[in-house]
Amino acid sequence: MSSRRSSQSGVSRISDDQIIELVSKLRQLLPEIRNRRSDKVSASKVLQETCNYIRNLHKEVDDLSERLSQLLSTIDADSAEAAIIRSLIM
Amino acid sequence: MPPPSSLKQEFLKKWMMGLHICSSSKKNMSILERKKAIKLSADIALASARNGTTCWSQAIIVNASQDDQDKILVQHVLGRESERLMKKGSVLPLTSNKRIRSRKILRRSCGSIRRRARKTIATSPPKVVAISIAKKLIRKRTQLLKRLVPGGKFIMDEISLIEETLDYIISLQAQVDVMRSLANAS
C-alpha cells in the first residue's frame, strides 16, 4: 500500500519508512503520547502534538525568563553574579 | 530520552557568559529589559551549543545578528566562530527568489485545482477522501511546524524539517530544565 501511495504522489521521492521512523522518534519525545502507549497514533496527530508542545516550551521559557528577571532584580546588581554562582553550587 | 547533561552544561556555561555580559554593559535594567536579556542570552546559548550544525541554531544566530546591540552579545558568546556563523549562507539553504515566485503562481492556480479536487472528492469512495483529508491535515500541520521552528521556512523537505524539529525540541527541553532549576534554586 505504501508503494502505491508514493507512486501516486510522484513528486516526493521521500521514503515512507524514513518518515515513519522520524515520526516515531518524535512521538517518544512528546510527553503525552509517550504515556498513552498506543501504536496507532497517526502522523498528523503527532505533528499537532509537536506543535502544541513547542508552543508550550516557548511559553515556559518566557515565563521562566520573567520569573528569573523578577528574582534577579530583587538582588543587588553587583552581587547578582555572586547570587547566581551561589545558587548553582547548591 | 531526557536531554543529555553535556548539552545542559554547555548551555549553562554559555548562558551565564551572556548574562554576565548583559549585566555588565547595562546596570539598573528594568524588569522587562532584564527578561529580554535573559531570554536572548538563553536562545543564543542554545544555538551556540549546536555550533552551526543545525538550521534552527543558525537561524537564531542570524536573526540576533540583525540587531546591532544583540550582535555584540552574539559575537562574545560565540567567540571565534561568530564570523562564520553569522553569515546567512553557511548552513541555511537559500530560498531563491525564483522559488518564491513560482510558489506564488502555484498558489494562484491552486484555487482552480482545489475546485477540481472538491469535485473529485464528492464523487470518490470515502477511503480515498479520508486519505486526501489526512494529507491536507499533515500539510497544514507541517506548515504550522515550519513557522514554529526557527529557520523552518528555509527547510524544503519534510525529512529535514522533522530532524530539525527533533533536535530543536531536545534543546528546548534542556533550556527549560536548566532555567527551571535555576529559578527554583534562587
Side-chain angles (χ1 to χ4, degrees), chain A residues 24-74:
Chain A
S24 72
K25 279 199 195 149
L26 257 183
R27 214 165 71 205
Q28 286 169 15
L29 284 178
L30 304 175
E32 288 179 25
I33 296 187
R34 196 176 25 184
N35 293 337
R36 246 182 264 159
R37 259 173 197 273
S38 107
D39 281 330
K40 295 190 211 133
V41 189
S42 69
S44 89
K45 181 87 174 136
V46 172
L47 282 176
Q48 182 189 17
E49 291 298 320
T50 308
C51 293
N52 290 339
Y53 189 46
I54 292 183
R55 259 190 289 236
N56 286 341
L57 286 174
H58 281 166
K59 177 126 203 322
E60 226 182 314
V61 168
D62 204 62
D63 290 341
L64 283 169
S65 303
E66 175 95 35
R67 214 171 121 195
L68 281 170
S69 167
Q70 287 172 339
L71 283 169
L72 287 177
S73 61
T74 58

Side-chain angles (χ1 to χ4, degrees), chain B residues 58-123:
Chain B
Q58 182 81 354
I60 289 181
I61 293 172
V62 169
N63 286 340
S65 311
Q66 308 290 354
D67 176 281
D68 289 326
Q69 265 188 323
D70 299 347
K71 190 173 181 179
I72 302 173
L73 182 62
V74 173
Q75 283 169 325
H76 275 110
V77 173
L78 289 176
R80 260 176 278 140
E81 302 289 318
S82 60
E83 280 312 312
R84 175 179 67 93
L85 292 172
M86 287 199 288
K87 284 200 211 102
K88 206 170 189 177
S90 44
V91 174
L92 290 177
L94 290 168
T95 343
S96 65
N97 288 323
K98 268 191 235 145
R99 247 197 208 142
I100 299 177
R101 241 181 279 140
S102 59
R103 241 185 276 150
K104 286 195 187 146
I105 298 171
L106 192 67
R107 232 177 281 153
R108 250 180 267 143
S109 64
C110 249
S112 52
I113 296 178
R114 253 181 252 142
R115 260 177 268 134
R116 248 178 277 145
R118 242 178 272 154
K119 214 173 160 192
T120 46
I121 286 178
T123 55

Side-chain angles (χ1 to χ4, degrees), chain B residues 6-163:
Chain B
S6 56
L7 175 61
K8 287 195 208 178
Q9 279 169 6
E10 179 75 26
F11 164 72
L12 184 61
K13 192 170 70 177
K14 295 271 165 77
W15 186 36
M16 288 294 122
M17 198 192 298
L19 280 179
H20 177 69
I21 295 171
C22 284
S23 57
S24 64
S25 63
K26 221 179 176 194
K27 305 274 179 192
N28 300 327
M29 287 189 266
S30 70
I31 291 193
L32 189 60
E33 281 181 321
R34 201 183 290 271
K35 169 188 168 184
K36 282 197 200 150
I38 292 176
K39 197 151 180 230
L40 180 66
S41 309
D43 286 338
I44 294 178
L46 204 61
S48 85
R50 282 299 176 236
N51 213 19
T53 52
T54 59
C55 187
W56 65 263
S57 58
Q58 182 81 354
I60 289 181
I61 293 172
V62 169
N63 286 340
S65 311
Q66 308 290 354
D67 176 281
D68 289 326
Q69 265 188 323
D70 299 347
K71 190 173 181 179
I72 302 173
L73 182 62
V74 173
Q75 283 169 325
H76 275 110
V77 173
L78 289 176
R80 260 176 278 140
E81 302 289 318
S82 60
E83 280 312 312
R84 175 179 67 93
L85 292 172
M86 287 199 288
K87 284 200 211 102
K88 206 170 189 177
S90 44
V91 174
L92 290 177
L94 290 168
T95 343
S96 65
N97 288 323
K98 268 191 235 145
R99 247 197 208 142
I100 299 177
R101 241 181 279 140
S102 59
R103 241 185 276 150
K104 286 195 187 146
I105 298 171
L106 192 67
R107 232 177 281 153
R108 250 180 267 143
S109 64
C110 249
S112 52
I113 296 178
R114 253 181 252 142
R115 260 177 268 134
R116 248 178 277 145
R118 242 178 272 154
K119 214 173 160 192
T120 46
I121 286 178
T123 55
S124 6
K127 190 167 190 182
V128 177
V129 177
I131 292 176
S132 67
I133 291 179
K135 276 204 199 132
K136 257 190 239 157
L137 269 179
I138 289 184
R139 212 176 318 148
K140 193 166 74 167
R141 288 181 181 150
T142 308
Q143 295 302 331
L144 192 55
L145 189 59
K146 272 181 147 181
R147 260 181 272 148
L148 282 174
V149 174
K153 56 186 179 215
F154 296 111
I155 303 175
M156 291 300 124
D157 60 307
E158 231 171 56
I159 292 200
S160 303
L161 180 62
I162 299 183
E163 284 176 342

